[in-house]
Amino acid sequence: MNMRVVVAAAVGLIGGYVSGCAIACADRAFAVVASGSGWLFPPEPVYEATGAAVVAVLTIALISRFAPRRIVVSVAGSVGIVLLVAGAGTAVEQRVVVAVGAGLVIGAAVLPVGARVWFVAGSLIAALYGERLEVDTGMPERYADYLEAPSTSGPAVSWAVLVALVAALVVYGFRGQAVDGEATGREVLTGIAVPLSLAVSVAVTAQAGGDPAVAVATVAVIALVALSFRLPRQDGTAVLTVLAVAAMLAVDSSAVSGPDRLGASAQIGLVVVGVLIGVARRRPLIGILGCGVVTVSGLLPAVVDSTTLTDLTFRFLLPAVAGFAIGTCFPAAPTTAVTAFAVLFVATLLGDTRFTGGSESGWTAYVPDTYSPALDSKTPVLIATGVIVGCALLVWRRHAPDEQGTPHR
């Protein structure tokens, strides 16, 4: 087994998990925005994810341009970990520190070529299952937004995970000299523009009293499809594949309800197995079509009087398909991996907003520890399916040979 490949994979997987959990799993007070729609998380995680993505892209640009050495990558990631620990808490200043720290960790985790696919997988695991792994998995409660968040809190991830990341970074830093590749100006600009556009759309619609999920979905589809035509074929394919995965995640609620830690660990195992198969097979179109199959299963309860098949599909097939799709479309540029982090992270957050009030509202209400896809109507599923079909057609077009027998750029 190639030790260098293993170290790069560890840096990416643990770095993605740590940075994702640092943003998603912090103790927070609940907030209500957009005409009373309940968010599992307030809008701040979207802004923190955006800030982390921007810091990550700038870190990539600076290191690859001025100090392309592995030891510098290790130092940057280690500084990020220190900031994540120092910024643990709920105050605005602490969350800014966490965003900067997460950005440094992300920048370090995507610079190694072999780490990028595992970084995206790690951040996906954090967004979907980090809450159940790192936070108390007892019966979850939904408190009113007027209750204050805890005044003190520790790091969002366990110390064992942080130590493992530090060890992986140290080993990586001393197993070679130069960093692979250099970020171009176009890659830097697009890596910053996509997360910023998502954050701006959330801010504008939240202030206007609209539905941030609709706005972000619209902006994401338009921006990512347009971006895919401006990037090299591999990066464009990665962007479209990530968009398809995000559409699938947006109609699933497994991030907020589902099995306990043991069950979540099994789902994480399916993600990892999916990535391994995807890396070995390299069939992005099959990955996108798999996302479509999972998404369409959300319509089955409207056809048959049972949710069993839909439950099994979203619980077990979704993580495997998401991992496979991600594995098929990398390696790509480091800034593309950062874009994937921002899009998948925001997709899971906005998917959670479909848990609204009603009979369960109030400080005494609770969410049973059971799993059910949050499919309030057929419309979200149909829209997500349309997005996935569009991504499949665009990827097929880009990989189809032209009259001279060469694939389209």
Side-chain angles (χ1 to χ4, degrees):
M1 182 178 293
N2 191 327
M3 188 62 182
R4 182 172 296 181
V5 174
V6 173
V7 171
V11 170
L13 183 64
I14 305 175
Y17 180 78
V18 167
S19 55
C21 282
I23 297 172
C25 300
D27 292 326
R28 304 172 189 275
F30 281 82
V32 178
V33 298
S35 303
S37 297
W39 290 63
L40 175 68
F41 300 111
E44 282 77 7
V46 177
Y47 305 149
E48 291 169 20
T50 300
V54 171
V55 171
V57 172
L58 294 177
T59 301
I60 293 167
L62 291 174
I63 291 179
S64 62
R65 177 68 178 85
F66 297 106
R69 295 290 182 269
R70 294 192 175 197
I71 188 65
V72 177
V73 175
S74 299
V75 171
S78 300
V79 171
I81 294 173
V82 172
L83 293 178
L84 291 181
V85 175
T90 57
V92 174
E93 296 81 3
Q94 291 172 307
R95 303 314 304 164
V96 171
V97 172
V98 166
V100 174
L104 290 173
V105 171
I106 292 170
V110 300
L111 277 168
V113 175
R116 292 165 197 169
V117 62
W118 292 108
F119 163 78
V120 179
S123 59
L124 176 64
I125 290 171
L128 289 177
Y129 311 115
E131 184 80 3
R132 275 183 269 154
L133 294 177
E134 300 294 343
V135 183
D136 182 16
T137 56
M139 183 174 292
E141 298 176 349
R142 295 195 297 181
Y143 296 99
D145 62 309
Y146 54 79
L147 295 180
E148 294 183 358
S151 57
T152 60
S153 63
V157 294
S158 63
W159 286 103
V161 176
L162 293 175
V163 171
L165 179 56
V166 171
L169 286 169
V170 170
V171 174
Y172 171 78
F174 287 96
R175 290 188 64 85
Q177 296 298 321
V179 174
D180 302 315
E182 180 178 341
T184 65
R186 175 182 292 184
E187 291 171 351
V188 172
L189 289 176
T190 55
I192 293 176
V194 171
L196 283 179
S197 64
L198 298 178
V200 169
S201 62
V202 169
V204 171
T205 50
Q207 290 295 325
D211 186 352
V214 175
V216 171
T218 303
V219 170
V221 171
I222 295 174
L224 294 178
V225 170
L227 177 62
S228 69
F229 288 99
R230 302 294 300 171
L231 294 174
R233 187 160 63 97
Q234 181 65 40
D235 292 280
T237 299
V239 167
L240 292 171
T241 304
V242 167
L243 178 58
V245 174
M248 175 181 64
L249 297 178
V251 295
D252 174 65
S253 65
S254 61
V256 296
S257 64
D260 57 12
R261 282 186 178 140
L262 181 60
S265 299
Q267 292 173 314
I268 291 171
L270 291 173
V271 174
V272 173
V273 171
V275 172
L276 290 172
I277 297 175
V279 169
R281 303 303 300 172
R282 302 291 184 191
R283 297 292 188 270
L285 188 57
I286 295 178
I288 294 175
L289 293 177
C291 294
V293 171
V294 174
T295 303
V296 169
S297 71
L299 298 175
L300 290 178
V303 180
V304 296
D305 189 19
S306 174
T307 61
T308 301
L309 184 57
T310 300
D311 292 347
L312 292 175
T313 301
F314 276 91
R315 181 180 294 185
F316 298 111
L317 188 57
L318 180 145
V321 168
F324 176 82
I326 290 170
T328 61
C329 63
F330 280 86
T335 52
T336 302
V338 177
T339 299
F341 162 82
V343 172
L344 294 177
F345 197 88
V346 173
T348 56
L349 288 176
L350 295 180
D352 300 334
T353 67
R354 289 175 302 110
F355 278 99
T356 55
S359 61
E360 293 181 342
S361 295
W363 69 275
T364 59
Y366 66 91
V367 180
D369 190 19
T370 56
Y371 176 91
S372 61
L375 303 177
D376 300 327
S377 70
K378 297 185 291 293
T379 303
V381 179
L382 293 174
I383 293 175
T385 303
V387 171
I388 294 171
V389 170
C391 291
L393 291 174
L394 290 173
V395 169
W396 174 80
R397 174 63 178 167
R398 298 200 65 165
H399 286 260
D402 57 18
E403 295 180 356
Q404 286 72 38
T406 57
H408 292 276
R409 182 179 180 276

